[in-house]
Amino acid sequence: MLSLANTYSEGDVAEWYNQVSRGLEGEEFEVCCEMKYDGLSISLTYEKGRLVQAVTRGDGVQGDDVTANVRTIRSIPLVLKEGLGYPDTFEIRGEILMPWQSFDRLNEEREEIGEQPFANPRNAASGTLKSLDSRIVAERGLAAYLYYLLGDGIGAEGHYESLEKAKAWGFKTSEGMKKMRSLEEIYAFINHWDSARKALPVATDG
């Protein structure tokens, strides 16, 4: 699992967009825009509609098996409904997060018993997911947003369509995900969510 490249410059976005356009020799193309959630990367493997393994990103090659803890996260389906057209085996990747509401409640509880509060939801989610007691994980109210679907036989034309399928199968995906057909539309999406993301129930960083 690779880390994502980032930028804080519209100029860099334009350079990337124009590079893609040149590579396609002017052919029309679409860009899928979505939120980048500030959590812990996770890879979920399903076989015949059942969650069989959950692994953290680790160093990108080797991660930790946290299946038992992930099974307690309510927004991650343990068994998919039959007849939805998912392949026998597939992997879906995303972020494990601690919603602001859960984060505030946890820090209040820690302060009441004299423990150091967590600095931010990401650190709280990380510490929670590493817990050796799945009951603690269940109590802390983690959430998950999924952003990348891999597998043979998914039957989607592109990234956006594959995530629409994932949503139909029961996975939580990025809010406000849209296809854009111009650089101006991409800028508008970025500018909108730069402020609108502050009202989301979880932290974002892109």
Side-chain angles (χ1 to χ4, degrees):
M1 297 177 69
L2 303 177
S3 59
L4 299 176
N6 58 44
T7 181
Y8 302 93
S9 162
E10 286 190 353
D12 287 346
V13 175
E15 182 179 345
W16 170 81
Y17 186 90
N18 292 329
Q19 182 180 8
V20 172
S21 182
R22 288 192 299 270
L24 294 173
E25 299 181 347
E27 181 182 342
E28 291 187 359
F29 63 95
E30 298 171 326
V31 174
C32 180
C33 291
E34 58 191 282
M35 304 303 298
K36 166 64 174 68
Y37 293 97
D38 190 14
L40 302 160
S41 296
I42 196 76
S43 169
L44 309 175
T45 300
Y46 284 77
E47 293 181 358
K48 297 188 183 302
R50 293 180 177 272
L51 175 65
V52 295
Q53 189 177 54
V55 181
T56 62
R57 178 177 179 273
D59 61 6
V61 176
Q62 184 73 34
D64 296 320
D65 190 315
V66 289
T67 308
N69 285 346
V70 165
R71 287 182 183 276
T72 70
I73 300 174
R74 293 183 179 180
S75 56
I76 294 179
L78 302 182
V79 180
L80 306 181
K81 293 181 180 179
E82 295 182 4
L84 296 179
Y86 45 81
D88 283 348
T89 302
F90 68 89
E91 177 187 357
I92 188 164
R93 298 176 181 177
E95 302 275 321
I96 302 292
L97 312 98
M98 180 171 287
W100 289 112
Q101 186 176 14
S102 299
F103 174 70
D104 292 339
R105 184 187 71 243
L106 174 61
N107 272 350
E108 288 177 3
E109 293 172 353
R110 292 176 69 85
E111 289 176 346
E112 286 176 359
I113 60 176
E115 291 187 357
Q116 185 74 19
F118 285 106
N120 53 60
R122 191 182 192 284
N123 287 355
S126 177
T128 298
L129 201 61
K130 293 175 182 177
S131 173
L132 299 178
D133 189 344
S134 295
R135 292 173 297 179
I136 293 177
V137 183
E139 292 170 356
R140 290 189 177 178
L142 295 179
Y145 287 77
L146 290 307
Y147 59 71
Y148 189 31
L149 184 60
L150 305 90
D152 296 327
I154 292 173
E157 293 180 359
H159 175 71
Y160 177 91
E161 289 78 12
S162 70
L163 290 184
E164 286 292 289
K165 282 183 175 289
K167 186 187 299 185
W169 298 345
F171 295 102
K172 185 184 290 291
T173 59
S174 174
E175 292 192 34
M177 182 177 63
K178 288 185 178 179
K179 283 185 179 181
M180 302 302 175
R181 294 173 175 82
S182 71
L183 193 55
E184 290 70 28
E185 288 183 353
I186 294 173
Y187 287 158
F189 182 92
I190 292 172
N191 291 332
H192 168 74
W193 283 107
D194 189 45
S195 58
R197 68 192 180 95
K198 297 173 184 177
L200 293 173
V202 293
T204 63
D205 59 352

